[in-house]
Amino acid sequence: KRIECFDISNIQGTDNVASMVVFEGAKPKKSDYRMFKIKSVEGTPNDFASMKEAVGRRYARILAESKPFPDLIIIDGGKGQLGAAFEALTELGLTGPGFKTEKFAICGLAKRQEEVYFPGNSTPVFLPRRSEALLLLQHVRDEAHRFAIGAHRQKRAKALVTSPLDAIPGIGPTRKTPRCPAPRGTR
């Protein structure tokens, strides 16, 4: 079985990224991990719009390339994040009436009480704390969170070492480096 899980990471709406991790046979498949730079949201934190963009981009590509869908999609978050992801899937024509999907199952996993949400149902499902199903969902969600935080830190670090001069054609590293005049009396 293939599981794909999405998470969002940002600081006050800046450097928005979404992560997608993949598990096959309950083990991570790191070669299939993906990071999405969120383009539609900047300046104010909006996890719902970020989640909608990431999920929409991922499954639009799967449709375009005629690749197989996962068996389960996990959204890190509660009803709101799940609703945004489901909206993206609906816009792609992947869901039917009555919140039905034929190609995959989808759920949201909220951190506070480890509630599992399903589309069209506002009442969460509580799995037994020590059940293997909940432990697997938590493991996948935690890996998506770890990957999102790492991608966000990487993007933020890259932004710290860039200069406005990088955008000007013809200015390379030598010209960009500040030069200090020689101290007086050394000539």
Side-chain angles (χ1 to χ4, degrees), residues 2 6 42 46 66 69 73 76-78 83 85 89 105 110 120 123 129 145 148-149 157 161 165 169 175 177 183 186:
R2 183 177 172 98
F6 291 83
E42 193 63 40
N46 188 339
S66 299
F69 283 86
I73 299 170
D76 182 15
L89 296 170
T123 306
R129 286 277 180 204
H145 186 68
I149 296 281
V161 295
L165 297 174
R175 177 147 290 165
T177 305
T186 58

Side-chain angles (χ1 to χ4, degrees), residues 48-118:
F48 305 139
S50 298
M51 185 65 73
K52 181 179 177 182
E53 179 184 332
V55 170
R57 285 171 50 192
R58 167 66 180 164
Y59 296 108
R61 185 170 186 159
I62 289 228
L63 282 170
E65 295 176 357
S66 299
K67 290 190 173 178
F69 283 86
D71 298 295
L72 174 63
I73 299 170
I74 302 172
I75 303 300
D76 182 15
K79 292 184 283 188
Q81 287 89 345
L82 178 62
F86 199 80
E87 188 177 326
L89 296 170
T90 301
E91 288 174 7
L92 293 170
L94 295 172
T95 60
F99 300 98
K100 298 290 181 197
T101 60
E102 293 181 13
K103 298 179 186 292
F104 50 83
I106 183 170
C107 69
L109 181 60
K111 286 184 184 98
R112 193 172 298 156
Q113 302 264 331
E114 302 298 359
E115 304 123 345
V116 181
Y117 287 93
F118 293 96

Side-chain angles (χ1 to χ4, degrees), residues 24-39:
E24 282 187 358
K27 292 186 175 21
K29 187 173 182 192
K30 294 189 177 191
S31 61
D32 286 355
Y33 283 20
R34 296 291 178 265
M35 191 265 299
F36 300 88
K37 292 179 185 176
I38 301 300
K39 301 170 185 170

Side-chain angles (χ1 to χ4, degrees), residues 127-162:
L127 297 173
R129 286 277 180 204
R130 297 182 190 263
S131 73
E132 288 185 22
L134 180 60
L135 293 175
L136 177 62
L137 290 176
Q138 288 172 326
H139 181 54
V140 174
R141 188 260 329 269
D142 292 346
E143 178 66 4
H145 186 68
R146 182 200 63 78
F147 189 61
I149 296 281
H152 179 254
R153 284 183 183 150
Q154 194 174 31
K155 185 177 180 191
R156 202 173 63 225
K158 186 176 179 183
L160 289 174
V161 295
T162 60

